[in-house]
Amino acid sequence: MKCSIQGCPGQYEHRLIVHTVKHGRQVVVFEDVPAEVCDVCSDTLLAPETIRHLEELMNREAKPRSHAPVFAYA
Ligand SMILES: [Zn+2]
């Protein structure tokens, strides 16, 4: 599939990415999220059902597999 960013000649390819979501005051990190990523500009597309699944995981408050340190820049 061709990249949706204007002027970008890239193609989306299927990859597993690290996706971070702000959930209230917390940052939630998901690993191995299936996404379409442009091979030129790295624009990332998540399928609506993928986003729904991430929301479900957060709402269920499933135990995360691991904890990541979060640093504030300032
Ligand atoms: Zn692109």
Side-chain angles (χ1 to χ4, degrees):
M1 188 169 64
K2 210 191 156 303
C3 181
S4 64
I5 301 297
Q6 224 185 0
C8 178
Q11 296 276 338
Y12 291 108
E13 55 184 37
H14 196 71
R15 283 197 215 157
L16 297 178
I17 63 161
V18 175
H19 183 65
T20 54
V21 183
K22 267 246 170 190
H23 186 61
R25 290 181 54 83
Q26 282 181 308
V27 177
V28 181
V29 182
F30 294 97
E31 287 182 315
D32 299 332
V33 178
E36 303 299 315
V37 183
C38 175
D39 57 358
V40 174
C41 70
S42 299
D43 187 49
T44 304
L45 298 179
L46 293 181
E49 57 265 29
T50 304
I51 293 167
R52 209 174 312 128
H53 184 67
L54 297 179
E55 281 168 359
E56 256 176 48
L57 284 172
M58 283 189 287
N59 291 336
R60 234 190 284 150
E61 295 195 35
K63 270 232 156 77
R65 191 165 66 180
S66 64
H67 293 276
V70 177
F71 296 94
Y73 181 74

